[in-house]
């Protein structure tokens, strides 16, 4: 162990000032070879623009995306008049005629057209370094501390360095190249794309790529400009830079997409304006602005489990080593910080939310259209955002909900004859809200409620009343829909959700447990929000009246929490979705304090599902086991999630790629976010009106420190533990109010003042 690592180990084990926030130079992914495939390349992003950097030596490839380039066109996917068939579909389900119900629904109830459209790659920037075939001292790094990806190597005693960053303040991707010897930097650059319809034009110091998507109305414009101390000429289809020692390439890209129902944007003008602005500034200044902006978010939170030396091992090997040894505490903290990095890179105020692949996609036909799947994946992307102190990165989801509440209003009316808004399991850039693909899984009704829970959660974490006031109408209109949609089941007398599906198991059914959990949670939050805002007294009364009539959670014959209204769960079913445990996580309706029997039944259900799964399924199970207060079991699932996805000897294929992207497989970013959330749930939980410290800390993370972790109620905590035992804790109250802290069997309750910090020892005694 080197001196630095020894010091870090001492700091974690023996105590340190709780306040200190220092840069951590081990927060990096690094490699000794260029990437040979996309899942080895390294991502950068500024919320709207994303790029994957391969880091080749003779030949660099930077594949880039802009979040609004999708196939298709503004389009209302609703099926006009579908509601005429609702009663019959329900009746068939009530009579147990599932197949007939599915067939009728497939014919008369699905979206028009049946399929949505895919997110598209934008283009590729290539750099050809003349005569760089033989080289030494190669490193390729993604530095999470600064959000910069670096490549460096030596050719004939000259050191070449390449930095790539995606700047939010300047809305560009910058590629900075330098050589340690004057005039040693000689290269060609050009843009290209995988689209059939494309054009590339060079003019003076810049080059512009125009692309048009195959099936749709969107076109994209990307321009590169170059600042250099060498010579720059446009030669054939390339820009040629010679006799330089430094050069910076700026890339800007935009489309004509303005909103889900407006494509009148002018990408040429947007790109021109952005590049005109950066053209007047130095790379040094642009980099400084980028770092300041990024660190204003990234530095709010730190996490440290110690380091056993593995942080010095190249990341691809490290993932293999972890699979074998299960022991690499710094990899776990790196995973959390990587998720935070990816969040800052793919979800910034004004941007769109991350899709299934964030903003990183290189395929014209990406898996599942690289879209927004709302029966787990989209919401999972936002699970760590509040706790990991990135609250404003949640904003794109609220804009998204605003959009789907508009398209969903049409769907509520046309498909259900109801007011309010309804949305199903998949949503594209045109905010398609109608049921897609196939009736046996496309008709699933909980998305409106689940998405709305993010509005309520954001309020619980921030206490931001102005926000609640602004977004309450969306939450209320989601409730309004369910209040009209719920159906009195002739068989049980309960109010149930029908037709629907327990994602994506068991086909079209009446009354899946998940829907009822979500609707109950929505109604409760609606009632509370209305009380806070002093509005909708009558509506709240109505919801209160409906709550006890909604079908309850039930315990079945195998001791399981029933996934359906009927006791028909198959304990041998190891399906990746575990939807009926929604009330355990991310919901809170099932918990040890109020519903211990249901909690045991839910745990039994999770046991039956087993410990395998796709990336996101493993991540969800980490969160579940943390809520079941079993840190070691949670760690077991986490171990699966951080194991090499492509290792043939592993039985389970869910895991991580060499660039630490989550593998479903294929790549889906949800597991990165869900895994990070699970790690934080092991350390702190705040879903029951109090803050529980170290509820499920695993033995493998016995020593550690976290700072800037956020709890509901507007509390920001810093605490440290040793041999799994709490040592000290500090609470910053951002809004004032009562704070309840709990650790093992100790509980304290105290009043706080806004902006004040409170310190306690490991016994929760005030210092
Ligand atoms: C849901 C999941 C799949 C996949 C897809 C994008 O349909 O069941 O596993 O994650 O979304």
């Amino acid at each position: 162990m080197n001196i630095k690592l020894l010091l870090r180990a001492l700091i974690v084990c023996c105590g340190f000032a709780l306040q200190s926030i220092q840069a951590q130079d081990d927060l990096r992914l690094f490699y000794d070879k260029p990437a040979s495939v996309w899942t080895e390349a390294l991502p950068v992003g500024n919320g709207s623009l994303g790029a994957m950097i391969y880091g080749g030596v003779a030949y660099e490839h930077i594949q880039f995306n802009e979040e609004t380039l999708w196939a298709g066109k503004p389009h209302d996917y609703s099926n006009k008049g579908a509601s005429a068939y609702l009663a019959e579909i329900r009746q068939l389900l009530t009579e147990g005629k599932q197949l007939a119900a599915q067939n009728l629904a497939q014919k008369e109830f699905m979206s028009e057209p049946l399929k949505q459209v895919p997110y598209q790659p934008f283009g590729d920037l290539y750099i050809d370094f003349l005569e760089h075939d033989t080289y030494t001292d190669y490193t390729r790094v993604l530095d999470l501390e600064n959000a910069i990806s670096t490549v460096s190597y030596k050719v004939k005693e000259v050191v070449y360095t390449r930095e790539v960053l995606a700047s939010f303040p300047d809305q560009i991707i910058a590629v900075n190249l330098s050589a340690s010897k004057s005039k040693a930097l000689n290269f060609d650059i050009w843009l290209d794309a995988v689209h059939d319809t494309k054009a590339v034009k060079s003019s003076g110091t810049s080059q512009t790529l125009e692309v048009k998507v195959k099936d749709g109305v969107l076109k994209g414009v990307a321009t590169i400009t170059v600042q250099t101390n060498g010579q720059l000429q446009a030669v054939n289809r390339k820009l040629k830079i010679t006799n330089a020692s430094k050069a910076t390439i700026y890339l800007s890209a935009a489309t004509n997409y303005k909103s889900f129902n407006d494509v009148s944007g002018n990408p040429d003008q947007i790109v021109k304006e952005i590049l005109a602005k950066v053209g007047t500034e130095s790379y040094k200044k642009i980099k400084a602005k980028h770092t300041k902006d990024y660190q204003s978010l990234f530095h709010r939170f730190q996490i440290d489990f110690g380091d056993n030396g593995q942080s010095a091992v190249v990341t691809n090997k490290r993932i293999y080593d972890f699979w074998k040894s299960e022991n690499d505490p710094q990899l776990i903290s790196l995973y959390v910080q990587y998720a935070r990095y990816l969040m800052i890179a793919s979800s910034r105020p004004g941007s769109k939310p991350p899709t299934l692949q964030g903003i990183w996609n290189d395929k014209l036909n990406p898996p599942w259209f690289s879209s927004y799947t709302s029966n787990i994946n989209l919401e999972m992307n936002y699970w760590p955002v509040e706790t990991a102190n990135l609250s404003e990165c949640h904003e794109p989801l609220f804009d998204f909900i605003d959009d789907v509440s508009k398209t969903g209003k049409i769907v509520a009316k046309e498909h259900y004859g109801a007011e309010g808004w309804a949305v199903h399991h998949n949503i594209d850039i045109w905010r398609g809200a109608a049921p897609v693909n196939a009736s046996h899984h496309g008709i699933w009704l909980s998305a409106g409620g689940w998405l709305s829970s993010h509005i309520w959660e954001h309020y619980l974490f921030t206490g931001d009343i102005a926000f609640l006031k602004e977004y309450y109408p969306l939450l209320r209109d989601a409730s309004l829909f369910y209040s009209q949609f719920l159906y009195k089941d002739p068989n049980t007398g309960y109010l149930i959700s029908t037709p629907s599906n327990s994602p994506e198991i068991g086909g079209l059914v009446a009354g899946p447990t998940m829907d009822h959990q979500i609707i109950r949670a929505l109604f409760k939050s609606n009632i509370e929000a209305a009380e806070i805002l002093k509005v909708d007294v009558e509506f709240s009364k109505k919801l209160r009246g409906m709550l006890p009539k909604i079908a309850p959670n039930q315990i079945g014959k195998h001791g399981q929490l029933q996934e359906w209204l009927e006791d028909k769960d198959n304990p041998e079913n190891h399906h990746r979705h575990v939807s009926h445990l929604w009330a355990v996580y991310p919901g809170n309706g099932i918990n040890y304090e109020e519903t211990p029997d249901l909690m045991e039944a839910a745990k039994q259900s999770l046991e039956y599902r087993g410990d395998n799964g796709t990336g996101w399924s493993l991540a969800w199970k980490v969160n579940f086991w943390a809520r079941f207060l079993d840190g070691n079991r949670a760690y077991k699932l986490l171990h699966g999630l951080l194991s090499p996805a492509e290792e043939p000897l592993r039985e389970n294929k869910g895991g991580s790629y060499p660039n630490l992207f989550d593998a479903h497989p294929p790549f889906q970013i949800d597991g990165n976010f869900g895994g990070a959330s699970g790690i934080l749930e092991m350390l702190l939980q705040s879903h029951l009106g109090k803050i529980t410290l170290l509820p499920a800390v695993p033995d493998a993370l016995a020593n550690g420190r976290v700072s800037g972790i956020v709890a509901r109620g507007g509390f920001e905590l810093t605490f440290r533990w040793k041999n799994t035992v709490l040592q000290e804790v500090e609470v910053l109250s951002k809004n004032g109010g009562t704070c309840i802290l709990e650790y093992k069997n100790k509980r304290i309750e105290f009043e706080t003042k806004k902006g004040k910090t409170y310190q306690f020892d490991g016994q929760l005694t005030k210092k």
Side-chain angles (χ1 to χ4, degrees), residues 164-229:
V164 185
L165 60 86
S167 160
F168 178 68
D170 283 302
Q171 289 298 311
I172 41 96
I173 290 173
V175 183
N176 182 258
L177 308 164
S178 60
S180 62
K181 192 174 149 210
S182 80
K183 303 193 174 178
L185 194 57
N186 298 286
F187 61 94
D188 293 347
I189 51 170
W190 67 98
L191 290 168
D192 203 346
V194 292
H195 296 273
D196 287 340
T197 311
K198 63 186 170 192
V200 179
K201 282 180 268 173
S202 302
S203 69
T205 58
S206 71
Q207 186 174 82
T208 295
L209 163 77
E210 282 180 22
V211 296
K212 164 121 185 31
V213 298
K214 192 163 162 239
D215 299 308
V217 297
L218 291 178
K219 57 179 181 135
V221 174
T223 298
I224 44 171
T225 57
V226 185
Q227 287 175 353
T228 179
N229 62 356

Side-chain angles (χ1 to χ4, degrees), residues 477-534:
D477 287 352
S479 299
L480 182 63
F481 168 74
Y482 291 114
S483 71
Q484 298 179 6
F485 161 76
L486 282 172
Y487 172 76
K488 186 166 178 193
D489 178 24
N491 296 331
T492 61
Y494 292 132
L495 287 178
I496 61 164
S497 164
T498 176
S500 194
N501 166 249
S502 190
E504 298 167 9
I505 319 175
L508 194 64
V509 296
T513 299
M514 174 193 230
D515 284 12
H516 304 143
Q517 295 177 348
I518 290 178
I519 296 167
R520 252 195 305 273
L522 174 69
F523 283 7
K524 285 184 183 164
S525 61
N526 198 140
I527 293 165
E528 270 192 68
E531 257 169 33
I532 295 164
L533 298 172
K534 301 191 177 41

Side-chain angles (χ1 to χ4, degrees), residues 356 368 373 375 377 425 504 576-577 614 616 664 668 670:
L356 289 167
W368 291 287
T373 306
N375 65 15
N377 320 83
H425 97 293
E504 298 167 9
R576 61 194 179 282
H577 283 270
T614 56
W616 63 255
H664 179 287
Q668 273 185 206
D670 40 26

Side-chain angles (χ1 to χ4, degrees), residues 373-558:
T373 306
S374 55
N375 65 15
I376 176 66
N377 320 83
L378 170 60
E379 292 90 346
M380 182 178 277
N381 284 354
Y382 285 100
W383 283 357
V385 72
E386 299 286 345
T387 7
N389 215 333
L390 294 174
S391 193
E392 56 273 75
C393 294
H394 215 158
E395 278 178 32
L397 186 68
F398 307 132
D399 295 341
F400 179 95
I401 299 171
D402 192 33
D403 284 357
V404 292
S405 75
K406 292 175 183 136
T407 51
K409 191 171 176 187
I410 303 170
V411 170
K413 181 167 167 279
E414 294 296 342
H415 290 248
Y416 302 97
E419 295 174 286
W421 58 280
V423 55
H424 295 80
H425 97 293
N426 220 82
I427 304 155
D428 62 9
I429 191 109
W430 311 110
R431 306 306 181 228
V436 293
N437 302 347
S439 61
H440 59 68
H441 72 275
I443 302 176
W444 167 79
L445 254 306
S446 300
W450 195 342
L451 288 169
S452 298
S453 75
H454 283 257
I455 294 174
W456 181 239
E457 288 286 328
H458 182 71
Y459 167 73
L460 291 180
F461 275 96
T462 60
D464 184 345
I465 300 255
F467 166 83
L468 187 65
K469 200 167 173 191
E470 186 182 349
Y471 285 90
Y472 168 77
L474 299 184
L475 200 141
R476 185 209 42 227
D477 287 352
S479 299
L480 182 63
F481 168 74
Y482 291 114
S483 71
Q484 298 179 6
F485 161 76
L486 282 172
Y487 172 76
K488 186 166 178 193
D489 178 24
N491 296 331
T492 61
Y494 292 132
L495 287 178
I496 61 164
S497 164
T498 176
S500 194
N501 166 249
S502 190
E504 298 167 9
I505 319 175
L508 194 64
V509 296
T513 299
M514 174 193 230
D515 284 12
H516 304 143
Q517 295 177 348
I518 290 178
I519 296 167
R520 252 195 305 273
L522 174 69
F523 283 7
K524 285 184 183 164
S525 61
N526 198 140
I527 293 165
E528 270 192 68
E531 257 169 33
I532 295 164
L533 298 172
K534 301 191 177 41
V535 292
D536 290 338
V537 176
E538 281 309 306
F539 185 54
S540 291
K541 211 165 143 192
K542 181 174 177 188
L543 297 182
R544 250 190 222 107
M546 291 180 84
L547 269 170
K549 297 181 188 151
I550 299 174
N553 290 304
Q554 302 179 83
I555 300 174
K557 59 177 180 271
H558 304 292

